[in-house]
Amino acid sequence: MVSYMSFKELVHREVEDQDYRIRIELRDPRVLIMAPHGGKIEPTTAEIAAAIAEDDYSFYCFEGLKTDSRPLHIESHLFDEPRALQVVQKADVVITIHGQIDQKEEFVMVGGLNDSLRSEITRELEGAGFQTRVPTERLMGTDSQNICNRGKLRRGVQLEVSRKVRDLLRTDENELQKFASAIRKAIRIYLDRKD
């Protein structure tokens, strides 16, 4: 599978609203919840991001609409869709939701450069009954160009949600709300401490 190396490359071959769709909801500009590989690229990541954002936080999603949308996957450190860059630059807190491929185990890898928020999210997810892990080297989310680290503070959080957890959250609304509530609580605690 060959993925695009940039949005500029993608836009020459793919048609918006036919092959992909971009959804943006601007709310509290301090907090942005993103699914840069939503729709059929990394299934259920858009729904998870929307549940976390709810009616309070800003939301961005790049969704693959094609049956095989995997080639629409632009790696996070190369993700340069102009509308995404615009909303990211206004946010203090940027959390990206990604799909990790493991189908056998339930876990969430918590990465990114924002150590304080990362710790808070880990604590709240584990308190809600979700297992967390330190990301593998390839999924650390620590590249300064990673879209999660391009907000005002230049450090964000990247959540890699295993396929098994995503399937659970897709089919069980209570679990989805529990997951989203844990992350929302972590954000509130982090913002209160920062203010």
Side-chain angles (χ1 to χ4, degrees), residues 5-35:
M5 298 299 287
S6 70
F7 183 74
K8 282 180 187 158
E9 189 182 303
L10 180 149
V11 83
H12 288 300
R13 295 195 188 145
E14 311 291 346
V15 179
E16 187 164 359
D17 294 326
Q18 177 184 305
D19 301 320
Y20 69 91
R21 173 176 55 206
I22 294 168
R23 291 193 291 149
I24 302 172
E25 300 287 338
L26 296 175
R27 299 175 185 118
D28 182 342
R30 294 178 305 163
V31 181
L32 175 64
I33 313 298
M34 301 183 78

